[in-house]
Amino acid sequence: MTVVRIPKGQLRKGMYVESVECPQFVFSKRRFILDLDEDLDAIAAAPAEFVLVNTARSKGAMGAASSGKANGNGDAPAQVDEVKRQKAAETLTRSTAAVKTGFTGFATGDIKDIQAFAPVSRDLIESMSEGPEIVLELTRLKTKDEGTFLHSLAVGALMASVGQALGYDEATVELLGIAGILHDFGKLLIPNMILNKRGSLSDVERQIIRNHPELGYQRLVTYPDMPGMVLDVCRHHHELLDGSGYPQGLSGAALSPFVRISTICDVYDALTSTRPYKKAWSGQQAINWMFEQGHCFDRRLLLRLGEVTDGAGRG
Ligand SMILES: [Fe+2]
Ligand SMILES: [Fe+2]
């Protein structure tokens, strides 16, 4: 994990700014080394509270950002939150690496045991219990290189949290986390030139991407002891209750509670994520939007998702 979200009062020259989180408009600059007074002044004047900073690209300034020292502007950072944020960031760095290794191993067939993902799921559950808003903040910025992995972690974390809120037992909650981590596994089997293509897709390319649930399922089903829930979520997470989803156009009772959880968590993360080319929605906006989509999403589960993400992704 190389991107951290810090209060703008903690900004220092030398930091690499990924984006400035303005609530109403897109800040004029993104992805730059902060070394001009005029940029510092512009950010100070902007209606933003937080800035996403890439620690890997910063010039040795992050020690000052994360040390919890006051900055001279009167913005004393909340040290407890900062410690939690650092801990969650470390967990996500570790988890991202583990998911990359696991996905590659699954794709090549070198890893066949679903338990390879259990420690990641447990870490996500623990991080969510300590501060869901921090985990979701940290996974919101999807860089091109790590976007798929951060999305997988976010969906796994959300699914496990919704499962906990519904009162599922510990083993089921852990498996929901694993199912979330693996839901887009099929995307790894699609050529990057199609998956990461900017601009419009051809009908053929769109069809190839829409085939990722089936591709993932067909690969995972060949592994012995693959839990039915993981297969179900992988294959059906783009199905919608009214039958307008894909790939099979299933509807209503044909969609298990686990699939319904995966669908809302998947859409929630997509809508609330910041990408270089789009502004993120707040968590509340995302949930409201899903509520308004006729009978596409399970509204009882949306209420649970709203509870477990309360306070996260605002702004
Ligand atoms: Fe997907
Ligand atoms: Fe997804």
Side-chain angles (χ1 to χ4, degrees), residues 269-281:
D269 184 61
L271 294 177
T272 58
S273 289
T274 304
R275 293 178 196 266
Y277 50 87
K278 82 166 180 67
K279 189 175 179 323
W281 289 11

Side-chain angles (χ1 to χ4, degrees), residues 42-84:
I43 295 170
E49 290 182 28
F50 292 96
V51 178
L52 294 168
V53 171
N54 189 323
T55 56
R57 294 186 172 188
S58 295
K59 293 191 283 190
M62 290 312 291
S66 57
S67 68
K69 290 175 187 164
N71 58 20
N73 294 336
D75 291 340
Q79 207 143 1
V80 175
D81 278 358
E82 208 46 43
V83 169
K84 278 188 183 177

Side-chain angles (χ1 to χ4, degrees), residues 42 61 69 115 170:
K69 290 175 187 164
Q115 287 308 315
E170 207 174 310

Side-chain angles (χ1 to χ4, degrees), residues 151 183-184 187 212-213 234 237-238 246 266:
H151 172 63
H183 79 284
D184 269 340
K187 282 193 175 170
H212 76 269
C234 179
H237 65 273
H238 286 290
Y246 63 92
D266 187 39

Side-chain angles (χ1 to χ4, degrees), residues 31 96 99-100 103 139-155 183-184 187-188 195-196 269-270 273-277:
R31 300 200 157 171
T96 302
V99 169
K100 273 185 193 171
F103 273 23
T139 55
R140 280 177 77 194
L141 184 90
K142 303 293 195 287
T143 58
K144 192 177 165 195
D145 292 340
E146 299 196 328
T148 303
F149 302 109
L150 288 172
H151 172 63
S152 302
L153 292 173
V155 173
H183 79 284
D184 269 340
K187 282 193 175 170
L188 245 77
L195 208 55
N196 297 329
D269 184 61
S273 289
T274 304
R275 293 178 196 266
Y277 50 87

